[in-house]
Amino acid sequence: DVAAVLAARPLADGLVELPRCEVLRVRRQARLLLFATLRVLAPPRKAADGSPLKLPAGTGDYQLIVGKSFVRSVGEEEAHARMRRVRAGSLLRARGRLQLNPRLTGPDLVACELELLASPQVEAQKEPQKEPQDAPSVRPPQKQGTPETRRAAASAEERPFSSPPLRAPKRPPRVLSVQDGAGIAALSAALDEAVSRG
């Protein structure tokens, strides 16, 4: 099919320009070979003098062929970069040889010049950003009670802290040893005194 397209008879002498057309579909055959179906938005014209080009009635959609002719015009890297930008929905201007498609589906434009006028708009879906909320204000606790109790509490808060006085520890009771006679006599006297106190 590619060989038949390249061998087809031109429909016009010299180069033809499509000043404005929309890409409907793209078929990439290789890194440096691209086919695209075009809808012509402005009448084609002769590239040499800009005069309108008369085509037979009933001409269907145009097919754009971007390959060796375009690569020879701009170089491989630039041709590859521009081909990657050709997508469905793009608007472009093209110049090249206009010929009849072997399948009789419409004219083919074998491009040697290609300029993208507009790329399809792709709206990125972004999550709505939440507005920062102010931190809740913290109110100081309200003092309750009568004015007298609040004044007493305030004065107590203003007084410096004072610790209670230290008291000397109580003396432990005297321990009596009952290992000898004197101790037994002292214990007996202590018991008699405790009984007498009742």
Side-chain angles (χ1 to χ4, degrees):
D1 290 346
V2 175
V5 168
L6 296 178
R9 182 176 60 87
L11 291 176
D13 296 333
L15 299 180
V16 174
E17 179 179 341
L18 301 180
R20 186 177 180 86
C21 44
E22 178 186 2
V23 179
L24 301 179
R25 189 161 62 100
V26 178
R27 302 176 300 282
R28 304 181 190 277
Q29 302 294 333
R31 182 175 181 271
L32 296 175
L33 179 59
L34 177 147
F35 291 81
T37 302
L38 303 179
R39 177 167 57 209
V40 175
L41 302 179
R45 59 194 180 191
K46 295 181 180 180
D49 55 7
S51 60
L53 180 67
K54 296 181 180 180
L55 294 176
T59 301
D61 292 332
Y62 284 65
Q63 178 176 246
L64 177 69
I65 303 173
V66 186
K68 291 182 179 180
S69 299
F70 185 60
V71 172
R72 285 195 297 266
S73 176
V74 299
E76 289 190 4
E77 295 303 324
E78 180 64 21
H80 178 60
R82 293 195 195 182
M83 288 183 192
R84 291 182 59 184
R85 295 171 56 194
V86 177
R87 301 177 182 177
S90 300
L91 299 180
L92 54 82
R93 180 186 66 84
R95 281 187 178 186
R97 184 180 64 168
L98 190 66
Q99 59 191 30
L100 185 64
N101 188 290
R103 298 179 181 179
L104 302 179
T105 57
D108 290 343
L109 184 73
V110 182
C112 61
E113 296 182 21
L114 183 64
E115 177 186 0
L116 263 74
L117 304 177
S119 299
Q121 296 180 357
V122 180
E123 296 183 359
Q125 297 180 355
K126 298 182 180 180
E127 297 182 358
Q129 298 181 355
K130 297 182 179 180
E131 296 182 358
Q133 298 181 355
D134 297 336
S137 57
V138 180
R139 296 182 178 179
Q142 298 181 355
K143 299 179 180 180
Q144 299 181 358
T146 62
E148 291 76 8
T149 57
R150 289 198 296 269
R151 285 196 295 269
S155 60
E157 292 177 357
E158 295 176 356
R159 289 198 300 267
F161 175 77
S162 59
S163 58
L166 298 178
R167 297 181 180 179
K170 296 182 179 180
R171 296 180 59 184
R174 185 164 56 91
V175 180
L176 300 176
S177 175
V178 294
Q179 295 181 358
D180 52 11
I184 294 175
L187 177 60
S188 178
L191 291 175
D192 291 344
E193 182 180 358
V195 171
S196 63
R197 290 179 181 179

